[in-house]
Amino acid sequence: MNWRTINIDLLDPESSANFPTATLSPAVSPVSAAEVQNLASQIKQLLRGGDSEGALRGALENPPYGGDAAAKEVHLATVVEILQSIKQSEMSPLLSRIYSSEGGVEALDVLMKYLYKGMSHSSRPSSASARSMSPQTTGFSQIQQRGGGEGGGQAMSVLLSWHEKLVEIAGPGSIVRVMSDRRTV
């Protein structure tokens, strides 16, 4: 018998080889894209009515964990739209009210997930903007489209401002909980 070929992990009762790793992920119910679209329209109605806190709470309390990629993109766009509509002076009081309410820690953790997802999406150049690259005389290429408007830079600035305020209110534990959570938004 060759002792070097024995898989000792199979002998350890605490080893991941002795239990299914699928049990590490919490069960999530499937969500259709139509349900997410319906929720997004209700949230936008709240936003148009001037209830930005209610819109944000509604978006954070109903994340589409079980949705497909399209449903998650629709919800991300809704959350980013809400965040962009709230003034910077209203951020800290709003986050404090959510944090002190029942389920507030979980809601702010969901917000942190959306901030990271939004940052990851706005940092990648899209295929449309990659096709419209204009060479510069300096030898560099301009990836962003010309003409200003709400581009990725402004959205990134808003997301970073929210991240700063969220870490002030919820603390760095929120970052750790988001990084270790297997449910994705």
Side-chain angles (χ1 to χ4, degrees), residues 7-63:
N7 186 356
I8 60 169
D9 288 333
L10 293 176
L11 303 174
D12 183 13
E14 300 293 319
S15 172
S16 63
N18 293 326
F19 66 90
T21 55
T23 60
L24 296 175
S25 298
V28 292
S29 60
V31 179
S32 70
E35 290 173 325
V36 173
Q37 192 71 11
N38 185 25
L39 178 65
S41 65
Q42 292 173 359
I43 289 170
K44 288 179 183 178
Q45 184 67 29
L46 284 172
L47 193 60
R48 281 191 293 271
D51 186 10
S52 56
E53 183 175 350
L56 184 60
R57 282 182 189 264
L60 298 180
E61 290 172 358
N62 302 303

Side-chain angles (χ1 to χ4, degrees), residues 95-139:
L95 288 173
S96 295
R97 286 192 301 271
I98 292 175
Y99 184 70
S100 62
S101 68
E102 183 179 341
V105 173
E106 292 83 10
L108 293 185
D109 288 349
V110 171
L111 177 57
M112 185 68 80
K113 288 180 186 183
Y114 278 111
L115 292 176
Y116 285 139
K117 186 168 185 176
M119 285 185 224
S120 71
H121 279 266
S122 63
S123 65
R124 285 185 246 158
S126 65
S127 59
S129 64
R131 276 187 258 120
S132 66
M133 266 194 263
S134 61
Q136 302 293 314
T137 57
T138 59

Side-chain angles (χ1 to χ4, degrees), residues 52-102:
S52 56
E53 183 175 350
L56 184 60
R57 282 182 189 264
L60 298 180
E61 290 172 358
N62 302 303
Y65 288 131
D68 60 347
K72 291 181 178 187
E73 290 298 320
V74 168
H75 203 69
L76 171 67
T78 304
V79 171
V80 170
E81 182 180 341
I82 294 167
L83 296 179
Q84 288 178 333
S85 70
I86 297 173
K87 297 176 186 169
Q88 190 161 6
S89 62
E90 299 171 359
M91 286 180 189
S92 291
L94 186 133
L95 288 173
S96 295
R97 286 192 301 271
I98 292 175
Y99 184 70
S100 62
S101 68
E102 183 179 341

